[in-house]
Every structure is written in structure tokens, then in C-alpha cells.
């Protein structure tokens, strides 16, 4: 049986098994696995809001809940909203149960994580993904939520949305910074299936030109490092990888990139995107001696794929929504760098 016949037969079997054909994306990842795209949202669909990591007050999610209702969606709050167990949005058991209910609830078409912080890794292995695999839905968030993006992409090949969360929505929409509004609006576009295209604000002379068309994966660099060797270890082979981080010393970022290189995550890439990197100032008597560009270019000098710096993603105001797992085209040229969903 040739490959085309095999794929057609597989699609027929999926349909016979009751899997909605709308969720099967015709694209193929670099390893030959199918990318499953959850159904895009339409007016009247429900978004659940839960806190799988850090705590947030009920008042803290109101601007996000109100705006998403204005977009035409229904909102259901998880019971971890307003809960607190030290730094967490409730105990491990409470956060796991709340997220589990949303994964299993057929009425909920997307799950917005209220904020990052820390905590997703404490519950990810205890979640049951059976209903989620049978009926995929969008999981939304960034930072600590990189744990969920990586786990979902590696184990189930289901797309998800890397974006701002409830704690990043402006309190008053009409007077908000235009750039902040634009990044929040990108979440709506990602959820409803609009074509996404972003350009780095200015061309960096240290960018490495080239083009790549491949599925997009990535997230918080420190979190990706901590997942190495686990059941949630991110798969980068044949992908465009994007990374971002905040509050790290340069030596720590260097160590993280060595981890990417030594675990083989840089060798098989289609392209590399470096987003916002908020660096801690080195102590005067312990200067590291290399900047972000030095660190990255040292690790990728043996490879020829395109590299883009200063991309609008990360712990910063220009943090745009990206659909993880979905095929994108990265173009790095003299006039700038652009990432476009396919």
C-alpha cells in the first residue's frame, strides 16, 4: 500500500470510528504524525476558565470574561478561580479536578488558563486525556502552561494556543494601549480560525536568513528544559521552535540552550524563533561575557536553518497568540522576519 492510499484509508477509518472529520488537518508533521486541529469557535460556544497553576481572584478574571462574552462566547468559571493554596490556585487535587472537568465537558470548546506562575507539572501526569483525545478542544495560555502545550503536542498531536491569559487583559478596554489590545485580539483570531501573520518589529542583523514551512512548537525556555526526558518532553524534530523567557541570568539561559543542543532539540529543526528574553543583570564581579545573540548563535552554528531574534512573543506586551502544532511558514530576509499560519 503506498503512502497516499494508506492516508486515505486511515481517514476513512477515523470517520468510521466517529471522529469528526473537521478536526483532521491535511498537514503532516516532520515525523509523519497527523496534526489534529480542534474545531474553531463560533458564536455561542463556551470557554472554560481554570487555574491549573498560580492563583487569581474572581475580580482578576472579570475583564477577560467580559471581553470574551462580547466576542460572542459563553463563559464558565472553574471553581479554582478565587481559590488559593499558598502560590497555587487551590491544592493539587483541586486544580487537577477542575481542569479534568473542563477537559471532559462536551459543552466547553476551549479552556483558558487564568494565569501562569507554577503548578501545571504537579498535575499533568494525573490527568485523564481520553475525552480530550476523542473530542479535542483548544487549551490556551503561556509561561507555565508550556507544560500542557508540550504534553498535548507530543502525546496526542493536538494543536493548542500559546497566548496571553486572563491576568493580561486590560481592566478598561477603551483606554488600553493599542498594542495590548492588538495582542488580546489575536486570541480571538486564533480561536476562530483566522489566518495569523506576524512580523518582527525591526530586522536584526544577527538574524540568519532562510525560509521554513513546518509545524510550530515551543514556549517558555526554562519550562522546556525541565521537561527534558519526561513524558511531556517537547518534540522539535522537523518543527519551527519558538522560545522565550523572563527573569533569568545570562549564564542560566546559556545552560538552557546547551540543554537544547545536548538533547538533540536543535539539530533537526526547520527553523528557530527567539522571542522576548528579559535578562537579570549579572553581578558586577560575575559578568557572563556573552549576550543573548552570542549564546544562541554559538549553539546553532553547525546548522543552516533560519533564525529569528526579537520576535513578538513572551513575557512582554507584544505577546501574540500562536497556534502550537499548526503548520506555519517562517521567512527571514533582509527586510525582516515574518511568521504566517498555513
Amino acid at each position: 500500500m503506498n503512502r497516499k492510499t494508506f492516508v486515505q484509508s486511515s481517514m476513512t477509518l477515523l470517520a468510521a470510528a466517529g471522529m469528526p472529520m473537521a478536526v483532521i488537518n491535511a498537514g503532516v508533521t516532520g515525523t509523519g504524525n497527523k496534526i489534529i486541529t480542534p474545531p474553531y469557535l463560533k458564536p455561542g460556544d463556551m470557554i472554560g476558565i481554570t487555574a491549573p497553576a498560580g492563583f487569581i481572584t474572581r475580580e482578576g478574571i472579570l475583564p477577560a470574561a467580559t471581553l470574551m462574552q462580547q466576542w460572542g462566547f459563553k463563559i464558565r468559571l472553574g471553581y479554582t478561580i478565587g481559590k488559593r493554596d499558598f502560590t497555587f490556585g487551590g491544592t493539587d487535587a483541586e486544580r487537577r479536578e477542575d481542569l479534568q472537568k473542563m477537559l471532559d465537558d462536551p459543552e466547553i470548546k476551549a479552556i483558558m488558563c487564568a494565569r501562569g506562575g507554577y503548578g501545571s507539572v504537579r498535575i499533568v501526569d494525573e490527568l485523564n486525556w481520553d475525552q480530550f483525545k476523542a473530542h479535542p478542544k483548544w487549551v490556551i495560555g503561556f509561561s507555565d502552561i508550556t507544560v500542557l502545550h508540550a504534553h498535548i503536542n507530543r502525546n496526542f498531536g493536538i494543536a493548542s494556543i500559546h497566548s496571553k491569559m486572563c491576568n493580561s487583559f486590560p481592566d478598561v478596554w477603551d483606554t488600553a494601549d493599542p498594542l495590548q489590545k492588538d495582542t488580546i485580539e489575536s486570541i480571538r483570531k486564533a480561536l476562530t480560525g483566522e489566518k495569523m501573520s506576524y512580523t518582527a518589529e525591526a530586522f536584526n542583523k544577527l538574524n540568519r536568513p532562510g525560509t521554513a514551512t513546518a509545524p510550530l512548537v515551543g514556549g517558555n525556555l526554562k519550562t522546556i528544559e525541565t521537561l527534558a526526558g519526561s513524558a511531556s518532553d517537547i518534540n522539535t524534530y522537523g518543527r519551527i521552535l519558538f522560545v522565550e523567557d523572563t527573569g533569568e541570568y545570562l549564564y542560566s539561559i546559556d545552560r538552557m540552550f546547551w540543554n537544547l543542543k545536548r538533547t538533540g532539540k536543535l539539530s533537526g529543526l526547520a527553523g528557530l524563533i527567539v522571542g522576548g528574553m528579559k535578562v537579570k543583570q549579572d553581578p558586577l564581579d560575575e559578568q557572563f561575557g556573552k549576550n543573548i545573540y552570542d549564546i544562541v548563535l554559538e549553539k546553532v552554528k553547525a546548522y543552516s536553518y533560519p533564525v529569528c531574534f526579537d520576535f513578538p512573543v513572551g513575557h512582554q506586551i507584544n505577546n501574540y497568540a500562536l497556534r502550537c502544532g499548526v503548520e506555519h511558514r517562517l521567512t527571514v530576509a533582509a527586510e525582516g522576519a515574518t511568521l504566517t499560519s498555513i
Side-chain angles (χ1 to χ4, degrees), residues 269-291:
L269 289 182
L272 175 64
I273 294 171
V274 181
M277 289 282 178
K278 292 184 179 178
V279 176
K280 278 186 180 179
Q281 191 69 36
D282 286 337
L284 290 177
D285 60 342
E286 294 185 14
Q287 296 291 303
F288 183 65
K290 297 180 184 295
N291 60 33

Side-chain angles (χ1 to χ4, degrees), residues 197-212:
S197 185
Y198 305 121
T199 299
E201 290 182 359
F203 177 69
N204 189 312
K205 64 181 182 180
L206 295 176
N207 283 355
R208 192 158 69 192
T211 60

Side-chain angles (χ1 to χ4, degrees), residues 130-202:
D130 290 348
Q131 288 298 314
F132 176 78
K133 289 187 291 182
H135 303 284
K137 60 188 67 178
W138 294 101
V139 173
I140 311 160
F142 85 114
S143 192
D144 186 72
I145 310 305
T146 298
V147 173
L148 301 182
H149 292 311
H151 189 86
I152 289 168
N153 184 272
R154 180 179 185 87
N155 292 283
F156 317 125
I158 294 173
S160 57
I161 296 175
H162 181 281
S163 79
K164 289 181 173 180
M165 298 169 282
C166 294
N167 61 331
S168 297
F169 280 62
D171 291 334
V172 182
W173 181 258
D174 290 341
T175 59
D177 180 280
L179 181 56
Q180 183 183 21
K181 292 168 73 171
D182 197 37
T183 58
I184 297 298
E185 185 67 15
S186 73
I187 301 172
R188 181 193 62 78
K189 294 177 179 178
L191 280 170
T192 56
E194 291 191 30
K195 186 174 183 179
M196 317 294 287
S197 185
Y198 305 121
T199 299
E201 290 182 359

Side-chain angles (χ1 to χ4, degrees), residues 38 53-54 61 90 100 104 114 166 170 217 262 268 286-287 306 309 318 322:
I61 59 89
Q100 186 70 65
D104 294 345
C166 294
V217 297
R262 297 184 71 227
E286 294 185 14
Q287 296 291 303
F309 291 102
N318 57 337
L322 298 173

Side-chain angles (χ1 to χ4, degrees), residues 21 30 35 57 67 87 123 128 143 147 166 170 226 275 298 312 333 336:
M21 294 302 290
I35 298 169
T57 65
L67 183 60
T87 188
I123 65 174
N128 185 312
S143 192
V147 173
C166 294
T226 65
E298 178 186 48

Side-chain angles (χ1 to χ4, degrees), residues 81-157:
I81 304 303
K83 287 262 186 187
R84 184 172 185 178
D85 182 55
F86 295 94
T87 188
F88 304 110
T91 65
D92 289 351
E94 288 170 332
R95 299 194 325 279
R96 182 190 68 244
E97 183 179 351
D98 199 31
L99 179 54
Q100 186 70 65
K101 286 182 177 179
M102 294 197 173
L103 290 171
D104 294 345
D105 191 334
E107 284 192 299
I108 293 177
K109 305 302 180 184
I111 301 171
M112 167 71 82
C113 298
R115 59 160 294 188
Y118 170 68
S120 299
V121 74
R122 295 177 61 90
I123 65 174
V124 67
D125 290 326
E126 297 180 25
L127 292 167
N128 185 312
W129 297 92
D130 290 348
Q131 288 298 314
F132 176 78
K133 289 187 291 182
H135 303 284
K137 60 188 67 178
W138 294 101
V139 173
I140 311 160
F142 85 114
S143 192
D144 186 72
I145 310 305
T146 298
V147 173
L148 301 182
H149 292 311
H151 189 86
I152 289 168
N153 184 272
R154 180 179 185 87
N155 292 283
F156 317 125

